[in-house]
Amino acid sequence: MKEDSEYELRTLQLEFFGRILAGFTHDLKNHLAIIKESNGLITDMIDMGRITDEALALKLQKITTSIQRRVVQATDMANNLNGFAHRQDTPFSTFQVNDLLAEELTFLRRFSRLREIDLKIELREGLPAIHNNPSMVQYVVFKLYTMALKRVKNRSLLEIISGEQNGGVQITFGLSGEKEDFAKLIDDETMGMIQEALDTLQGRVAELSQAGDAKQVISLIVPSLATKP
Amino acid sequence: MSEIKVLIVDDEVEFAATLAERLELRDIAAETVNNGKDALSTILVRTPDVVILDLKMPDLSGLEVLNGIKSHDPSIEVIMLTGHGSTSSGIEGMERGAFDYIMKPIDLDLLLEKINQAYEQRTLRKQP
């Protein structure tokens, strides 16, 4: 009974967090829209010959191009953050796992970048939409991703690949390069943290490689559920 | 100056003003208001061809303003401005008579294309 109410409280907290984040990203996009239009106005003035000093026009053009590029990147991040926040709206829904991964990996890239680990992502086309808990899938992906990063030394390679698996989806985490010392590729601590989520998803995590293989692979399988379990 | 008259309705004053200036540079007559009530009173005195309407505003929502515009003059075309997570509201707007919707931050070329298409549609509607 106590566990049920704790779970409910946690869900409410996540819902609250999602709403705050969604509102924040909406405001952020409004700021970006203003920056983009103001920058666009300067570009218009250059293009329409309103700035007659050629050297100044050239300098401004460089600056506006840089601002434009950054606005596009920031908008992309804000859109992904907004999508991420809205994942809390409906616990169970039908979604494309590639959209989910693209959204989440926007934020996870920085962790591998800080470790100088090359992150290669291959989102295979034509995957079926699945019905499951998208927010929970993102949580499990995050835990497996951070665990995978701990298994390799700097300047290694982590490949994340999505694919189909019996009407559901499979996400693999492939590790190449110099490894850290570890007893088990998938440790008990991580499994302890994701087991409940895996139960909800009716998913499973397994190691596909053998000890000593050059490339070690962790697999996450998420089925498509017919109805809310 | 082209014949197209656009009314921009957005509570973000700087956004509306800057967008209006960019449209003016492209020979489109653009006027701005920053809330829904002003939008509805403006169309009574100066009829725009196209209204660019923000979905989320503090007084009247974009959908409420859309209803007001369409009840006054169904031939005024409306392009809704929506956020990334609010495409369903954009679709709802189209079901209620909006010409189209576009996401913020906007792609100006895309907006210009939609303004021209909306203007053509309004011209056709007005023909006897």
Side-chain angles (χ1 to χ4, degrees), chain A residues 26 29-30 32-34 36-38 40-41 44 48 50 75 79 82, chain B residues 12 14-15 18-19 21-22 25-26 56 83-85 104-107:
Chain A
H26 176 79
K29 280 192 286 180
N30 269 333
L32 287 169
I34 294 166
K36 190 177 180 190
E37 289 319 303
S38 303
L41 184 57
D44 287 348
M48 292 175 182
R50 306 279 169 107
T75 303
N79 283 339
N82 191 266
Chain B
E12 290 287 349
E14 284 171 75
F15 174 79
T18 316
L19 180 59
E21 208 171 336
R22 295 193 78 191
L25 283 172
R26 286 160 177 82
K56 282 193 179 169
H84 179 72
K104 257 181 161 182
I106 59 157
D107 175 336

Side-chain angles (χ1 to χ4, degrees), chain A residues 36-50 68, chain B residues 1-6 8 17-30 52 106-116 119:
Chain A
K36 190 177 180 190
E37 289 319 303
S38 303
N39 191 53
L41 184 57
I42 300 170
T43 311
D44 287 348
M45 287 161 137
I46 300 166
D47 293 346
M48 292 175 182
R50 306 279 169 107
Q68 169 72 12
Chain B
M1 187 68 77
S2 83
E3 295 169 22
I4 309 178
K5 293 193 288 285
V6 167
I8 302 166
T18 316
L19 180 59
E21 208 171 336
R22 295 193 78 191
L23 294 182
E24 293 273 356
L25 283 172
R26 286 160 177 82
D27 293 335
I28 292 172
I52 298 166
I106 59 157
D107 175 336
L108 189 69
D109 289 336
L110 184 65
L111 179 65
L112 289 168
E113 196 182 307
K114 288 188 191 297
I115 289 173
N116 283 316
Y119 178 69

